[in-house]
Amino acid sequence: MSEEEKKEKLKETAENKPEEKPDTDQDKDEEKDDLKIIKMKRHLYPEEIVEKKTKKKIRNLKIAVVAVAVSAILIGWLGGSIFPFSAGSLIRNMFSAGSMSSSDKISSVLQIMENDWYFGSSISDLDERLTDQALEGITDNDEDTHTSYMTADEMESFTQSINRNYVGIGVQIANSDGSNIVEKVFKDSPAESAGVKAGDIFYSVDGKSADGLSSTKLKKLVQGDEGTNVTIEFKRDGKIVSFDIARAAVSSTVYGEMLDDNTAYLQLYQFGQTTPDEVKAYLDDFQKKNAKSLVIDLRDNGGGYLDSVSEIAGCFLPKDSVVLKQEYSDGTVTQTKTSDEQYTQMGPIVILVNKNTASAAEVLTLALKQQRSDVTIVGMTTYGKGTVQVTKTFSDGSALKYTTSKWLSPNDTCINGTGITPDDEVKLADVFYQDFAGMDDDETFKQDSVGDAVSDAQKCLSYLGYTVDRTDGYFSVSTQTALTQYQTDHSLTADGVLNHDTYESLSSAVVVDWNSSHTHDTQLQKAEEILNG
């Protein structure tokens, strides 16, 4: 067959071939059923078999190492210092070098400090200390200095400072450059019965030196169990006097006396739980003595409980009088009103204040001033604490004291940060407006010398009525003359030299005079002038 014939035959065959259609799913399945797949397996050489087995072992080893590492991490975090494995510690340190979640920083930091902090192992009460420090940090802020977390010891001290109830000897102490001076001896107290006097300087307590002790540390030595004895030595005019005193329960937030036939004097140290009853007891006594006018001394009164001040305000205001208003963060306002009947014959009234008059003491001052026409405020501008705090205690004795509201006076005055300006501004002697510099035991000052201790001595001498020409610390001839006279009057070596003993005697003499007479109390003198004028 020729080539032409072959081409013609192929062409004819192609034209007579049936038309093809796209595959359906059924057609494909039928086609698959007809197919038989034979897998081809490649045979491995001996070297390839060894290499494959080695790779498998390496892969399995890697899996095991990862599993062990994960387990170590979990044990390290969960076990902490309970299982102090060196490897676990290393892993913890590796993880600590990285970033942590910021969603619970406090818990994370506490966990690290408890488990990984190097110095933690040497602190027996680590958990308690870290918790206290954390809470102190949380409550410490620039916006509100009156919100704070208090440990159990701090809470106990805080409560005692308000209620002034404790087991001790019954004295008020002032600390001056490490010297603790008896500022006031309370009536009917163990100290009064023993013969302790205002101005006495603590020398030793049960044989332990009191020199240089803070007032807080001294109180811990003096206070104790009721009925137990404490032996205390005092320095009095350069001599040592000793007393064996039985401790007893003491609670005194109020002091009162008649200044003259018509004028009563009532000093409130704090607004504690017993203060209303103490005030009423004195007012009952004043009424029996036909007192016509009253001085309320709130100087250095730092406040206390609002229910206490409300009850006391009721002694001087008609029933249902507004004592204060409280404004909360949501804008709501509440009012606190008096509930008792007042002592109607008590008036006119002068209220004494100074820069340390604060909080509840300021509440009482404005409540009386704004709702009585016969109240005069004398002294210096008050502290200006216009917020209210609530104390929540925990089962271990610690507590959170936090601000809940600001308070307003009956006529909506807010004194926060500004204080109360007195009607009559009267200063005390310069000696009350400075911190004493103190003197070393072997330190002395003579004529023509200069020093802060000399200025202290000059101001003390001036307050006590001795004539000095200056109080700037230059030891003048006039200063030497006044000092010599003072030394003579107090049985000290009259050499005109200022030494440690004379310096202590001067500061003690100021305290004695202030607490035993009103001769140099210019603010009280102004009050008496107003009431008797």
Side-chain angles (χ1 to χ4, degrees), residues 456-466 468 479 482-483 486 506:
D456 296 340
Q458 290 169 329
K459 291 173 182 177
C460 286
L461 288 167
S462 177
Y463 170 85
L464 294 169
Y466 294 88
V468 290
T479 300
L483 188 63
Y486 174 83
L506 280 166

Side-chain angles (χ1 to χ4, degrees), residues 428-444:
L428 296 175
D430 290 341
V431 71
F432 294 108
Y433 298 98
Q434 68 177 55
D435 294 325
F436 274 48
M439 284 186 65
D440 295 333
D441 290 342
D442 57 351
E443 193 174 11
T444 60

Side-chain angles (χ1 to χ4, degrees), residues 96-215:
S96 66
S99 62
M100 299 183 296
S101 172
S102 60
S103 61
D104 193 2
K105 293 182 182 179
I106 295 176
S107 177
S108 298
V109 172
L110 282 174
Q111 187 179 56
I112 291 172
M113 294 296 287
E114 289 173 350
N115 298 329
D116 300 323
W117 184 36
Y118 177 80
F119 295 99
S121 60
S122 62
I123 302 174
S124 59
D125 58 344
L126 179 61
D127 288 347
E128 182 179 352
R129 185 197 285 192
L130 291 176
T131 301
D132 286 343
Q133 289 177 178
L135 292 172
E136 287 169 1
I138 289 173
T139 56
D140 182 26
N141 58 81
D142 295 332
E143 291 79 9
D144 180 14
T145 59
H146 303 296
T147 288
S148 63
Y149 166 79
M150 293 178 284
T151 64
D153 289 341
E154 290 169 340
M155 180 57 186
E156 182 180 1
S157 177
F158 172 73
T159 303
Q160 284 188 355
S161 69
I162 293 179
N163 293 323
R164 294 172 67 95
N165 57 338
Y166 54 90
V167 175
I169 65 172
V171 297
Q172 183 170 299
I173 303 171
N175 186 282
S176 176
D177 189 45
S179 294
N180 290 284
I181 304 171
V182 176
E183 195 172 53
K184 187 178 288 294
V185 179
F186 295 117
K187 286 188 175 183
D188 303 322
S189 67
E192 183 185 52
S193 301
V196 179
K197 297 180 179 179
D200 286 346
I201 302 171
F202 280 87
Y203 184 75
S204 70
V205 179
D206 284 335
K208 297 180 180 179
S209 174
D211 186 44
L213 291 181
S214 66
S215 296

Side-chain angles (χ1 to χ4, degrees), residues 273 276-277 280 306-316 323 337-340:
Q273 293 175 341
D277 291 335
K280 291 173 184 178
L306 281 181
D307 55 353
S308 176
V309 73
S310 176
E311 191 172 349
I312 293 169
C315 296
F316 307 105
V323 179
K337 297 183 178 182
T338 59
S339 58
D340 294 334

